[in-house]
Amino acid sequence: MERDLTSGSVFRNVIYFSLPYFLSYFLQTLYGMADLFIVGQFDGVASTTAVSIGSQVMHMLTVMIVGLAMGATVSIGQSIGAGDKKRASVFVGNTVILFMGISLVLAVLLLFFVKPTVAVMSTPAEAVSGTAAYLTICFLGIPFITAYNLISSIFRGLGDSKSPMYFIAVACAVNIILDYLFIGFFHLGASGAALGTTLSQACSVLFALIAIKRKQTGLSLSRDCFRPQKKPLGKILNIGIPVALQDGFIQIAFIIITIIANRRGLNTAAAVGIVEKIISFLFLIPSSMLSTVSALAAQNIGAGKYDRAKQTLRYAMMIAIGFGLVVSILIQFIAAPVVGLFTADAAVILLGAQYIRGYIWDCIFAGVHFSFSGYFCACGKSGISFLHNLIAILCVRIPGVYLTSKIFPHTLFPMGLATATGSLLSVIICIIAYRWLCEKSGK
């Protein structure tokens, strides 16, 4: 259902839009964590590591698809804000054609790169077969992952963040049930986790298609809307590609960190994998701010209400910083019990607690630069988001983690802290870029 986000209380709109997105991201993270949790209850460290590494690769692909879809969300949002529903309909149709083609090509190509991917990840020998099986099944399900994120991006561009929440709720429930069936009952290990994930995504897409038929979107989609057009496709890609690359580089950085951890042994690999899952959960609010700011600011910019767009950014940062401070302080006291939820191995718990105590401070800084990135995307300047992340990754995050892993071989705390320092650099660059953008536009 289309919703006008260009009037009323800005803070209320931020809460109204971000809460369903937060819940949908929570559910998406929950079913990702469910794989790791359930496989940890029925199998050993090798299966846990296989699911951890495999899911990290899939997470990288997913966030890149989501990043590319940001071009659709912003383009549709600006059209809705300007009151041009015909233009919004063209963007919807071209988005569908673009993403379906990408998903099919991507699935076929990746199936040929399963073994090289496992090798590049420096997967411990005990987890190689499980990781390969996990990736093969998940790569086959890429069209379903793409379809879900495609539909969700369209609804968010229309100002509707509730529908995607319902879609992912279906996937979450189905995934947990299938995980217990495939992993607990049939003892399929990492393959069972992948089957649960893929089939649950298929169910989510089916539910979404049924919901679309029953909803009044306010758009009129004709055959002409589904004919590829240069300008709409160009705008979607011009906004989406830098975001996809930005998210891809962030995930590559995390994969490099995983590779560094994997080379320190199975326990370190498992600890880092578990913490990455926990962090993805704790990043729910910071991550939701990016999509919230991009969607709300896009509609307001489309309507020519630039002050409301800036207010959206400010409120999002306030929420992100407040949440980040509370979580960062709290985790210093409960790190070990939190890691212990996913494993009973004492060595893994010790290493995981060290890593997360340093890593958690990233929750504050990431929330700020995520909010800025959403605003830059809404302005059609997503290249700025790509640039600040690339600089932070190449200059601080990767070299920082590598050096700390060498200098401090008996603790993971400095490695975690190095990731947070990278986000701090991003924040500094974002502030400078925001001021430059305001001065240049005069708005």
Side-chain angles (χ1 to χ4, degrees), residues 145-402:
I145 295 173
T146 303
Y148 161 74
N149 286 291
L150 161 66
I151 295 170
S152 296
S153 70
I154 292 172
F155 274 101
R156 288 175 184 133
L158 295 172
D160 178 3
S161 59
K162 287 185 178 180
S163 295
M165 176 183 67
Y166 300 140
F167 305 154
I168 199 62
V170 172
C172 182
V174 173
N175 183 65
I176 291 173
I177 293 171
L178 292 179
D179 273 355
Y180 275 107
L181 177 65
F182 293 140
I183 300 172
F185 185 77
F186 290 111
H187 303 290
L188 296 179
S191 297
L195 281 170
T197 296
T198 302
L199 294 176
S200 64
Q201 286 281 9
C203 290
S204 177
V205 171
L206 179 61
F207 179 77
L209 293 174
I210 294 172
I212 288 173
K213 289 185 177 181
R214 296 183 178 180
K215 281 183 174 289
Q216 298 296 323
T217 62
L219 302 180
S220 179
L221 295 172
S222 63
R223 288 185 178 181
D224 289 339
C225 295
F226 293 92
R227 291 178 181 174
Q229 298 181 35
K230 185 177 180 180
K231 287 186 177 179
L233 287 174
K235 183 170 184 178
I236 293 169
L237 292 173
N238 283 338
I239 296 173
I241 288 177
V243 181
L245 291 175
Q246 161 200 313
D247 293 340
F249 277 121
I250 290 173
Q251 295 308 312
I252 288 173
F254 289 141
I255 287 175
I256 292 174
I257 292 171
T258 299
I259 292 171
I260 293 170
N262 288 350
R263 290 177 175 175
R264 289 177 56 158
L266 191 62
N267 287 335
T268 299
V272 169
I274 289 171
V275 170
E276 289 293 348
K277 285 292 184 182
I278 297 170
I279 288 293
S280 67
F281 176 77
L282 295 176
F283 268 37
L284 291 175
I285 289 181
S287 297
S288 67
M289 290 302 106
L290 191 157
S291 289
T292 297
V293 174
S294 62
L296 270 66
Q299 279 203 19
N300 282 286
I301 289 172
K305 299 181 178 181
Y306 300 99
D307 287 341
R308 289 179 61 87
K310 292 179 180 178
Q311 282 184 297
T312 300
L313 171 61
R314 286 194 289 269
Y315 283 129
M317 286 195 294
M318 287 169 55
I319 293 170
I321 292 171
F323 173 79
L325 278 170
V326 171
V327 171
S328 297
I329 294 171
L330 182 62
I331 207 70
Q332 304 304 315
F333 301 97
I334 61 171
V338 169
V339 176
L341 292 173
F342 299 89
T343 180
D345 190 294
V348 174
I349 292 174
L350 176 62
L351 291 168
Q354 294 171 352
Y355 189 54
I356 197 171
R357 285 193 178 102
Y359 196 160
I360 192 60
W361 298 103
D362 194 25
C363 196
I364 302 172
F365 306 127
V368 175
H369 76 70
F370 282 165
S371 298
F372 271 119
S373 291
Y375 181 80
F376 295 145
C377 289
C379 293
K381 303 292 184 180
S382 56
I384 298 175
S385 299
F386 166 73
L387 183 63
H388 78 71
N389 276 286
L390 182 63
I391 293 173
I393 288 168
L394 294 180
C395 296
V396 178
R397 184 165 289 145
I398 291 177
V401 169
Y402 176 77

Side-chain angles (χ1 to χ4, degrees), residues 40-64:
Q41 306 306 306
F42 294 98
D43 283 280
V45 176
S47 291
T48 300
T49 303
V51 172
S52 172
I53 294 172
S55 62
Q56 191 170 11
V57 173
M58 291 308 301
H59 182 65
M60 181 187 73
L61 293 172
T62 300
V63 297
M64 290 186 72

Side-chain angles (χ1 to χ4, degrees), residues 13-25:
N13 282 342
V14 170
I15 298 299
Y16 178 90
F17 190 92
S18 65
L19 187 57
Y21 185 81
F22 163 75
L23 291 174
S24 63
Y25 197 58

